[in-house]
Amino acid sequence: MSVSQKTKSAILFLSEPVHTDLYEELVSKYQIFNFRFAKKGKSREEQQEKFLEYVSKNFYPATKHKLDALYLGYAGFAPLPAGLTIEMIENNQQLQYLKVVVMCSRGINNVPYDYLTKNMGAVVQNYDDSELYVANDVADCGVYHVLESFRKFSYQQSKLREVLHSDGARGHLRGDAEDELRFCFGHELKVIDDDGTLKSQDEVKTSETNEGKEKNRPVQKKETTDVYEYMYTISPMNKKALILGFGNIGQTLAKKLKYGLSMDVYYSTRSGKNTLDKSMDEFSYYPWGEWTENLSQFDCIILCLPLSPQTKHIVDEKFLLNCARFKQGNLNHLSLVNLGRGMLIDWANIPKDFIKTKIRHVGLDVFYAEPLLTRECDDLTISNSTITPHIGSSTFEVFNRSSEFCLDVIKKHLD
């Protein structure tokens, strides 16, 4: 009697799918199992031990249920030390019958793709975003961070919720005294001094004036002009944006920035200028790898790159120094947004004062040591940054479409 005659096909879900008619059809045909990694309190090694223990107890040859399909959802095997490894498969017979492995994410991560497909003949499939729902929604997240970097809406909202008075909130943000009734237009925010302390515009101007009188010379604004610009709210209109990485997300974001925020958009890719798609001619190409002083022309740089040996730590101290515009190391005009992967930025070797006092804005949807927020967030505050918990594509529509897509792949290859 063959293995197939002695067993019943089983599907293991590591996350909850959408319970559509397609899901119910799979339930009626196959044995369904559900395993969840612990959200906290367990080390990666403990998570792996629990998973393998569950697999060994519930699937053939320990039982009649043969594990034919894995539904990984978004996180998949990220909680394990190295994901699902070849060693784990070879040492656990229960994992050696896999026919289908599906994941709702846009990447294929934490599984040995070549081994599963070539050695085992399994189908390994991630969500196909052919309708560009993921690209559109991640691009929306990028627009949010870019717009916030210029207008600082969240920072102003936080003060308004505290003060509950629109005129008063604008005054507080500028640094006016509690009982001051002077009208504030709303474009002036507190500025950051060289020592990292916050000062109001008036405090800086008074300090300049006194210094000028003491030295019996005209007041020179050169030393603080860049500091003023750090915390003005400014319009994104006609500002220059550079997008590194120009796949579906980068292209969709470029259109939103150009037609939604009226920005002047450039792009750069490892493959060079796009000469095949004429619709891309409306965007200027910036040469890949030219991380020189020419970067100083850009007001905003957005990372839409995958992680690879060529892109890891692409933004480092040297890269940022070349972005300086007013004087060496001063980035008070620059907004840096990361929608790609946390390790694109070499946070450990970027001087802390760049983030604390030298850069206008940092917008992050991804982090270096996800899911933890570590080095990159030490000096980020609501006044100089926006952070979102990797939710660029986290919409109802994407969740439903990716779930249904993966369920359909399982159905086609098990039926």
Side-chain angles (χ1 to χ4, degrees):
M1 184 179 294
S2 66
V3 170
S4 61
Q5 292 175 314
K6 296 187 295 184
T7 60
K8 182 176 182 179
S9 290
I11 305 171
L12 175 58
F13 288 86
L14 297 191
S15 66
E16 191 74 16
V18 177
H19 287 211
T20 59
D21 290 343
L22 180 53
Y23 173 76
E24 297 301 332
E25 182 180 347
L26 292 175
V27 170
S28 68
K29 291 183 177 180
Y30 307 103
Q31 187 67 38
I32 303 299
F33 290 84
N34 293 278
F35 176 84
R36 303 288 182 268
F37 291 109
K39 289 185 177 180
K40 57 182 180 179
K42 298 289 184 182
S43 68
R44 289 179 178 269
E45 290 71 22
E46 289 173 323
Q47 298 271 37
Q48 180 170 305
E49 183 180 345
K50 288 293 184 182
F51 171 73
L52 293 177
E53 180 183 339
Y54 180 88
V55 167
S56 66
K57 288 182 177 179
N58 287 282
F59 299 108
Y60 181 84
T63 72
K64 65 179 180 179
H65 306 299
K66 181 164 61 73
L67 181 54
D68 283 331
L70 267 175
Y71 177 101
L72 304 185
Y74 284 96
F77 290 106
L80 304 188
L84 178 66
T85 65
I86 296 174
E87 182 181 9
M88 289 169 61
I89 296 173
E90 291 181 341
N91 291 339
N92 294 271
Q93 186 178 350
Q94 291 83 356
L95 297 171
Q96 296 172 10
Y97 303 99
L98 285 169
K99 296 178 181 177
V100 189
V101 178
V102 293
M103 51 205 77
C104 295
S105 66
R106 287 292 296 122
I108 297 179
N109 303 312
N110 302 305
V111 298
Y113 177 82
D114 288 341
Y115 183 87
L116 286 167
T117 56
K118 296 177 181 179
N119 290 53
M120 296 176 55
V123 172
V124 181
Q125 180 70 59
N126 64 334
Y127 173 50
D128 177 10
D129 186 37
S130 57
E131 294 179 299
L132 301 184
Y133 271 82
V134 170
N136 179 77
D137 295 346
V138 175
D140 282 346
C141 184
V143 171
Y144 163 76
H145 286 289
V146 172
L147 183 57
E148 284 281 300
S149 73
F150 290 106
R151 298 298 304 275
K152 302 285 186 179
F153 288 129
S154 292
Y155 180 40
Q156 297 180 73
Q157 178 186 186
S158 68
K159 182 57 65 174
L160 179 58
R161 289 182 180 278
E162 177 185 330
V163 176
L164 299 178
H165 188 284
S166 60
D167 288 347
R170 295 201 299 267
H172 274 273
L173 287 163
R174 183 171 63 180
D176 292 350
E178 185 78 25
D179 58 351
E180 200 166 354
L181 298 178
R182 191 159 53 98
F183 174 76
C184 177
F185 184 70
H187 67 291
E188 298 174 297
L189 305 179
K190 290 180 180 179
V191 298
I192 294 183
D193 197 15
D194 289 338
D195 62 0
T197 58
L198 288 174
K199 286 187 176 183
S200 68
Q201 296 284 2
D202 286 346
E203 287 174 328
V204 174
K205 291 174 183 176
T206 300
S207 175
E208 285 180 333
T209 303
N210 290 339
E211 181 181 354
K213 289 180 179 178
E214 290 172 4
K215 295 185 178 181
N216 194 27
R217 61 175 174 77
V219 176
Q220 300 294 321
K221 284 193 174 183
K222 179 64 176 177
E223 293 302 314
T224 53
T225 298
D226 50 358
V227 179
Y228 289 162
E229 293 191 18
Y230 179 91
M231 291 303 282
Y232 278 151
T233 60
I234 57 179
S235 172
M237 187 173 183
N238 297 324
K239 300 298 190 299
K240 283 188 177 182
L242 172 63
I243 300 175
L244 299 187
F246 216 52
N248 288 335
I249 292 173
Q251 292 178 31
T252 306
L253 176 61
K255 293 174 183 177
K256 289 176 182 284
L257 295 181
K258 180 180 176 69
Y259 297 109
L261 299 185
S262 301
M263 297 187 72
D264 187 8
V265 181
Y266 290 66
Y267 73 95
S268 187
T269 68
R270 292 164 291 172
S271 59
K273 184 177 181 179
N274 188 332
T275 58
L276 300 177
D277 188 348
K278 294 304 179 183
S279 67
M280 294 300 104
D281 289 345
E282 60 185 317
F283 306 112
S284 302
Y285 181 73
Y286 183 87
W288 178 265
E290 193 174 306
W291 317 136
T292 66
E293 293 179 355
N294 288 332
L295 290 171
S296 64
Q297 66 184 287
F298 297 108
D299 303 281
C300 186
I301 295 177
I302 307 109
L303 307 179
C304 295
L305 294 162
L307 182 63
S308 71
Q310 293 73 38
T311 62
K312 183 178 180 180
H313 294 172
I314 189 171
V315 175
D316 55 14
E317 179 181 5
K318 183 179 179 181
F319 184 99
L320 291 177
L321 283 171
N322 283 324
C323 294
R325 180 179 296 174
F326 302 109
K327 59 184 179 181
Q328 186 178 28
N330 197 307
L331 306 166
N332 290 341
H333 69 288
L334 181 70
S335 302
L336 177 65
V337 175
N338 191 0
L339 303 174
R341 290 291 182 265
M343 289 187 180
L344 299 177
I345 304 176
D346 185 14
W347 291 107
N349 294 305
I350 292 176
K352 289 174 69 69
D353 66 338
F354 273 18
I355 307 305
K356 190 172 184 180
T357 64
K358 301 296 186 183
I359 194 167
R360 175 179 176 84
H361 193 92
V362 175
L364 303 174
D365 189 47
V366 291
F367 305 91
Y368 198 91
E370 279 195 51
L372 299 176
L373 275 64
T374 51
R375 163 70 176 90
E376 66 264 49
C377 290
D378 287 350
D379 296 305
L380 298 183
T381 68
I382 198 170
S383 66
N384 73 353
S385 67
T386 45
I387 56 175
T388 48
H390 205 152
I391 55 165
S393 63
S394 298
T395 62
F396 179 81
E397 289 81 3
V398 169
F399 180 80
N400 281 4
R401 286 174 178 272
S402 62
S403 176
E404 191 77 347
F405 177 89
C406 289
L407 293 174
D408 187 57
V409 171
I410 292 175
K411 178 181 182 300
K412 287 179 179 177
H413 289 90
L414 290 190
D415 281 0

mmCIF file with all atom_site columns, all heavy atoms in Angstrom, residues 285-297:
data_model
loop_
_atom_site.group_PDB
_atom_site.id
_atom_site.type_symbol
_atom_site.label_atom_id
_atom_site.label_alt_id
_atom_site.label_comp_id
_atom_site.label_asym_id
_atom_site.label_entity_id
_atom_site.label_seq_id
_atom_site.pdbx_PDB_ins_code
_atom_site.Cartn_x
_atom_site.Cartn_y
_atom_site.Cartn_z
_atom_site.occupancy
_atom_site.B_iso_or_equiv
_atom_site.pdbx_formal_charge
_atom_site.auth_seq_id
_atom_site.auth_comp_id
_atom_site.auth_asym_id
_atom_site.auth_atom_id
_atom_site.pdbx_PDB_model_num
ATOM 1   N N   . TYR A 1 285 ? 16.111 60.613 -14.826 1.00 0.00 ? 285 TYR A N   1
ATOM 2   C CA  . TYR A 1 285 ? 16.949 59.525 -14.305 1.00 0.00 ? 285 TYR A CA  1
ATOM 3   C C   . TYR A 1 285 ? 18.195 60.098 -13.638 1.00 0.00 ? 285 TYR A C   1
ATOM 4   O O   . TYR A 1 285 ? 18.860 60.978 -14.186 1.00 0.00 ? 285 TYR A O   1
ATOM 5   C CB  . TYR A 1 285 ? 17.362 58.577 -15.423 1.00 0.00 ? 285 TYR A CB  1
ATOM 6   C CG  . TYR A 1 285 ? 18.214 57.420 -14.915 1.00 0.00 ? 285 TYR A CG  1
ATOM 7   C CD1 . TYR A 1 285 ? 17.636 56.398 -14.171 1.00 0.00 ? 285 TYR A CD1 1
ATOM 8   C CD2 . TYR A 1 285 ? 19.587 57.383 -15.152 1.00 0.00 ? 285 TYR A CD2 1
ATOM 9   C CE1 . TYR A 1 285 ? 18.402 55.353 -13.675 1.00 0.00 ? 285 TYR A CE1 1
ATOM 10  C CE2 . TYR A 1 285 ? 20.359 56.331 -14.671 1.00 0.00 ? 285 TYR A CE2 1
ATOM 11  C CZ  . TYR A 1 285 ? 19.765 55.329 -13.925 1.00 0.00 ? 285 TYR A CZ  1
ATOM 12  O OH  . TYR A 1 285 ? 20.523 54.302 -13.426 1.00 0.00 ? 285 TYR A OH  1
ATOM 13  N N   . TYR A 1 286 ? 18.499 59.574 -12.446 1.00 0.00 ? 286 TYR A N   1
ATOM 14  C CA  . TYR A 1 286 ? 19.721 59.931 -11.733 1.00 0.00 ? 286 TYR A CA  1
ATOM 15  C C   . TYR A 1 286 ? 20.639 58.711 -11.760 1.00 0.00 ? 286 TYR A C   1
ATOM 16  O O   . TYR A 1 286 ? 20.215 57.609 -11.389 1.00 0.00 ? 286 TYR A O   1
ATOM 17  C CB  . TYR A 1 286 ? 19.409 60.337 -10.292 1.00 0.00 ? 286 TYR A CB  1
ATOM 18  C CG  . TYR A 1 286 ? 20.629 60.783 -9.517  1.00 0.00 ? 286 TYR A CG  1
ATOM 19  C CD1 . TYR A 1 286 ? 21.053 62.107 -9.557  1.00 0.00 ? 286 TYR A CD1 1
ATOM 20  C CD2 . TYR A 1 286 ? 21.368 59.874 -8.751  1.00 0.00 ? 286 TYR A CD2 1
ATOM 21  C CE1 . TYR A 1 286 ? 22.174 62.520 -8.857  1.00 0.00 ? 286 TYR A CE1 1
ATOM 22  C CE2 . TYR A 1 286 ? 22.490 60.279 -8.057  1.00 0.00 ? 286 TYR A CE2 1
ATOM 23  C CZ  . TYR A 1 286 ? 22.892 61.606 -8.111  1.00 0.00 ? 286 TYR A CZ  1
ATOM 24  O OH  . TYR A 1 286 ? 24.004 62.011 -7.421  1.00 0.00 ? 286 TYR A OH  1
ATOM 25  N N   . PRO A 1 287 ? 21.894 58.858 -12.185 1.00 0.00 ? 287 PRO A N   1
ATOM 26  C CA  . PRO A 1 287 ? 22.784 57.695 -12.359 1.00 0.00 ? 287 PRO A CA  1
ATOM 27  C C   . PRO A 1 287 ? 22.974 56.891 -11.078 1.00 0.00 ? 287 PRO A C   1
ATOM 28  O O   . PRO A 1 287 ? 23.322 57.441 -10.029 1.00 0.00 ? 287 PRO A O   1
ATOM 29  C CB  . PRO A 1 287 ? 24.103 58.336 -12.803 1.00 0.00 ? 287 PRO A CB  1
ATOM 30  C CG  . PRO A 1 287 ? 23.711 59.657 -13.378 1.00 0.00 ? 287 PRO A CG  1
ATOM 31  C CD  . PRO A 1 287 ? 22.540 60.111 -12.570 1.00 0.00 ? 287 PRO A CD  1
ATOM 32  N N   . TRP A 1 288 ? 22.748 55.592 -11.172 1.00 0.00 ? 288 TRP A N   1
ATOM 33  C CA  . TRP A 1 288 ? 22.924 54.701 -10.025 1.00 0.00 ? 288 TRP A CA  1
ATOM 34  C C   . TRP A 1 288 ? 24.398 54.706 -9.594  1.00 0.00 ? 288 TRP A C   1
ATOM 35  O O   . TRP A 1 288 ? 25.305 54.637 -10.412 1.00 0.00 ? 288 TRP A O   1
ATOM 36  C CB  . TRP A 1 288 ? 22.500 53.287 -10.392 1.00 0.00 ? 288 TRP A CB  1
ATOM 37  C CG  . TRP A 1 288 ? 22.703 52.316 -9.262  1.00 0.00 ? 288 TRP A CG  1
ATOM 38  C CD1 . TRP A 1 288 ? 23.780 51.499 -9.054  1.00 0.00 ? 288 TRP A CD1 1
ATOM 39  C CD2 . TRP A 1 288 ? 21.820 52.104 -8.171  1.00 0.00 ? 288 TRP A CD2 1
ATOM 40  N NE1 . TRP A 1 288 ? 23.610 50.779 -7.894  1.00 0.00 ? 288 TRP A NE1 1
ATOM 41  C CE2 . TRP A 1 288 ? 22.417 51.129 -7.320  1.00 0.00 ? 288 TRP A CE2 1
ATOM 42  C CE3 . TRP A 1 288 ? 20.583 52.624 -7.812  1.00 0.00 ? 288 TRP A CE3 1
ATOM 43  C CZ2 . TRP A 1 288 ? 21.815 50.679 -6.158  1.00 0.00 ? 288 TRP A CZ2 1
ATOM 44  C CZ3 . TRP A 1 288 ? 19.979 52.171 -6.649  1.00 0.00 ? 288 TRP A CZ3 1
ATOM 45  C CH2 . TRP A 1 288 ? 20.588 51.202 -5.830  1.00 0.00 ? 288 TRP A CH2 1
ATOM 46  N N   . GLY A 1 289 ? 24.605 54.788 -8.294  1.00 0.00 ? 289 GLY A N   1
ATOM 47  C CA  . GLY A 1 289 ? 25.957 54.748 -7.743  1.00 0.00 ? 289 GLY A CA  1
ATOM 48  C C   . GLY A 1 289 ? 26.642 56.092 -7.669  1.00 0.00 ? 289 GLY A C   1
ATOM 49  O O   . GLY A 1 289 ? 27.734 56.195 -7.099  1.00 0.00 ? 289 GLY A O   1
ATOM 50  N N   . GLU A 1 290 ? 26.055 57.135 -8.227  1.00 0.00 ? 290 GLU A N   1
ATOM 51  C CA  . GLU A 1 290 ? 26.663 58.465 -8.160  1.00 0.00 ? 290 GLU A CA  1
ATOM 52  C C   . GLU A 1 290 ? 26.255 59.141 -6.851  1.00 0.00 ? 290 GLU A C   1
ATOM 53  O O   . GLU A 1 290 ? 25.511 60.120 -6.823  1.00 0.00 ? 290 GLU A O   1
ATOM 54  C CB  . GLU A 1 290 ? 26.232 59.316 -9.366  1.00 0.00 ? 290 GLU A CB  1
ATOM 55  C CG  . GLU A 1 290 ? 27.062 60.588 -9.518  1.00 0.00 ? 290 GLU A CG  1
ATOM 56  C CD  . GLU A 1 290 ? 26.732 61.347 -10.790 1.00 0.00 ? 290 GLU A CD  1
ATOM 57  O OE1 . GLU A 1 290 ? 26.792 60.744 -11.875 1.00 0.00 ? 290 GLU A OE1 1
ATOM 58  O OE2 . GLU A 1 290 ? 26.408 62.544 -10.682 1.00 0.00 ? 290 GLU A OE2 1
ATOM 59  N N   . TRP A 1 291 ? 26.758 58.571 -5.774  1.00 0.00 ? 291 TRP A N   1
ATOM 60  C CA  . TRP A 1 291 ? 26.399 59.086 -4.454  1.00 0.00 ? 291 TRP A CA  1
ATOM 61  C C   . TRP A 1 291 ? 27.411 60.173 -4.073  1.00 0.00 ? 291 TRP A C   1
ATOM 62  O O   . TRP A 1 291 ? 28.218 60.020 -3.164  1.00 0.00 ? 291 TRP A O   1
ATOM 63  C CB  . TRP A 1 291 ? 26.359 57.970 -3.424  1.00 0.00 ? 291 TRP A CB  1
ATOM 64  C CG  . TRP A 1 291 ? 25.678 56.702 -3.904  1.00 0.00 ? 291 TRP A CG  1
ATOM 65  C CD1 . TRP A 1 291 ? 26.109 55.428 -3.724  1.00 0.00 ? 291 TRP A CD1 1
ATOM 66  C CD2 . TRP A 1 291 ? 24.430 56.597 -4.610  1.00 0.00 ? 291 TRP A CD2 1
ATOM 67  N NE1 . TRP A 1 291 ? 25.235 54.523 -4.283  1.00 0.00 ? 291 TRP A NE1 1
ATOM 68  C CE2 . TRP A 1 291 ? 24.190 55.211 -4.845  1.00 0.00 ? 291 TRP A CE2 1
ATOM 69  C CE3 . TRP A 1 291 ? 23.502 57.517 -5.094  1.00 0.00 ? 291 TRP A CE3 1
ATOM 70  C CZ2 . TRP A 1 291 ? 23.061 54.737 -5.515  1.00 0.00 ? 291 TRP A CZ2 1
ATOM 71  C CZ3 . TRP A 1 291 ? 22.384 57.039 -5.774  1.00 0.00 ? 291 TRP A CZ3 1
ATOM 72  C CH2 . TRP A 1 291 ? 22.168 55.684 -5.964  1.00 0.00 ? 291 TRP A CH2 1
ATOM 73  N N   . THR A 1 292 ? 27.372 61.258 -4.820  1.00 0.00 ? 292 THR A N   1
ATOM 74  C CA  . THR A 1 292 ? 28.310 62.360 -4.681  1.00 0.00 ? 292 THR A CA  1
ATOM 75  C C   . THR A 1 292 ? 27.581 63.593 -4.157  1.00 0.00 ? 292 THR A C   1
ATOM 76  O O   . THR A 1 292 ? 26.416 63.520 -3.747  1.00 0.00 ? 292 THR A O   1
ATOM 77  C CB  . THR A 1 292 ? 28.937 62.690 -6.041  1.00 0.00 ? 292 THR A CB  1
ATOM 78  O OG1 . THR A 1 292 ? 27.893 63.187 -6.911  1.00 0.00 ? 292 THR A OG1 1
ATOM 79  C CG2 . THR A 1 292 ? 29.541 61.434 -6.671  1.00 0.00 ? 292 THR A CG2 1
ATOM 80  N N   . GLU A 1 293 ? 28.263 64.724 -4.214  1.00 0.00 ? 293 GLU A N   1
ATOM 81  C CA  . GLU A 1 293 ? 27.655 65.979 -3.771  1.00 0.00 ? 293 GLU A CA  1
ATOM 82  C C   . GLU A 1 293 ? 26.434 66.362 -4.603  1.00 0.00 ? 293 GLU A C   1
ATOM 83  O O   . GLU A 1 293 ? 25.664 67.241 -4.210  1.00 0.00 ? 293 GLU A O   1
ATOM 84  C CB  . GLU A 1 293 ? 28.687 67.106 -3.809  1.00 0.00 ? 293 GLU A CB  1
ATOM 85  C CG  . GLU A 1 293 ? 29.804 66.933 -2.783  1.00 0.00 ? 293 GLU A CG  1
ATOM 86  C CD  . GLU A 1 293 ? 30.835 68.040 -2.858  1.00 0.00 ? 293 GLU A CD  1
ATOM 87  O OE1 . GLU A 1 293 ? 30.716 68.889 -3.772  1.00 0.00 ? 293 GLU A OE1 1
ATOM 88  O OE2 . GLU A 1 293 ? 31.752 68.060 -2.017  1.00 0.00 ? 293 GLU A OE2 1
ATOM 89  N N   . ASN A 1 294 ? 26.248 65.704 -5.740  1.00 0.00 ? 294 ASN A N   1
ATOM 90  C CA  . ASN A 1 294 ? 25.048 65.966 -6.544  1.00 0.00 ? 294 ASN A CA  1
ATOM 91  C C   . ASN A 1 294 ? 23.771 65.577 -5.812  1.00 0.00 ? 294 ASN A C   1
ATOM 92  O O   . ASN A 1 294 ? 22.681 66.023 -6.169  1.00 0.00 ? 294 ASN A O   1
ATOM 93  C CB  . ASN A 1 294 ? 25.129 65.200 -7.873  1.00 0.00 ? 294 ASN A CB  1
ATOM 94  C CG  . ASN A 1 294 ? 26.153 65.784 -8.819  1.00 0.00 ? 294 ASN A CG  1
ATOM 95  O OD1 . ASN A 1 294 ? 26.434 66.974 -8.769  1.00 0.00 ? 294 ASN A OD1 1
ATOM 96  N ND2 . ASN A 1 294 ? 26.715 64.954 -9.688  1.00 0.00 ? 294 ASN A ND2 1
ATOM 97  N N   . LEU A 1 295 ? 23.898 64.742 -4.783  1.00 0.00 ? 295 LEU A N   1
ATOM 98  C CA  . LEU A 1 295 ? 22.722 64.367 -3.991  1.00 0.00 ? 295 LEU A CA  1
ATOM 99  C C   . LEU A 1 295 ? 22.139 65.553 -3.237  1.00 0.00 ? 295 LEU A C   1
ATOM 100 O O   . LEU A 1 295 ? 20.979 65.526 -2.821  1.00 0.00 ? 295 LEU A O   1
ATOM 101 C CB  . LEU A 1 295 ? 23.100 63.259 -2.995  1.00 0.00 ? 295 LEU A CB  1
ATOM 102 C CG  . LEU A 1 295 ? 23.393 61.877 -3.579  1.00 0.00 ? 295 LEU A CG  1
ATOM 103 C CD1 . LEU A 1 295 ? 23.966 60.962 -2.504  1.00 0.00 ? 295 LEU A CD1 1
ATOM 104 C CD2 . LEU A 1 295 ? 22.135 61.256 -4.176  1.00 0.00 ? 295 LEU A CD2 1
ATOM 105 N N   . SER A 1 296 ? 22.934 66.602 -3.059  1.00 0.00 ? 296 SER A N   1
ATOM 106 C CA  . SER A 1 296 ? 22.472 67.752 -2.269  1.00 0.00 ? 296 SER A CA  1
ATOM 107 C C   . SER A 1 296 ? 21.328 68.498 -2.951  1.00 0.00 ? 296 SER A C   1
ATOM 108 O O   . SER A 1 296 ? 20.657 69.311 -2.307  1.00 0.00 ? 296 SER A O   1
ATOM 109 C CB  . SER A 1 296 ? 23.630 68.714 -2.014  1.00 0.00 ? 296 SER A CB  1
ATOM 110 O OG  . SER A 1 296 ? 24.106 69.256 -3.241  1.00 0.00 ? 296 SER A OG  1
ATOM 111 N N   . GLN A 1 297 ? 21.089 68.234 -4.231  1.00 0.00 ? 297 GLN A N   1
ATOM 112 C CA  . GLN A 1 297 ? 19.992 68.916 -4.931  1.00 0.00 ? 297 GLN A CA  1
ATOM 113 C C   . GLN A 1 297 ? 18.620 68.417 -4.482  1.00 0.00 ? 297 GLN A C   1
ATOM 114 O O   . GLN A 1 297 ? 17.614 69.085 -4.708  1.00 0.00 ? 297 GLN A O   1
ATOM 115 C CB  . GLN A 1 297 ? 20.130 68.702 -6.434  1.00 0.00 ? 297 GLN A CB  1
ATOM 116 C CG  . GLN A 1 297 ? 19.947 67.257 -6.888  1.00 0.00 ? 297 GLN A CG  1
ATOM 117 C CD  . GLN A 1 297 ? 20.179 67.044 -8.359  1.00 0.00 ? 297 GLN A CD  1
ATOM 118 O OE1 . GLN A 1 297 ? 19.349 67.449 -9.194  1.00 0.00 ? 297 GLN A OE1 1
ATOM 119 N NE2 . GLN A 1 297 ? 21.300 66.423 -8.694  1.00 0.00 ? 297 GLN A NE2 1
#
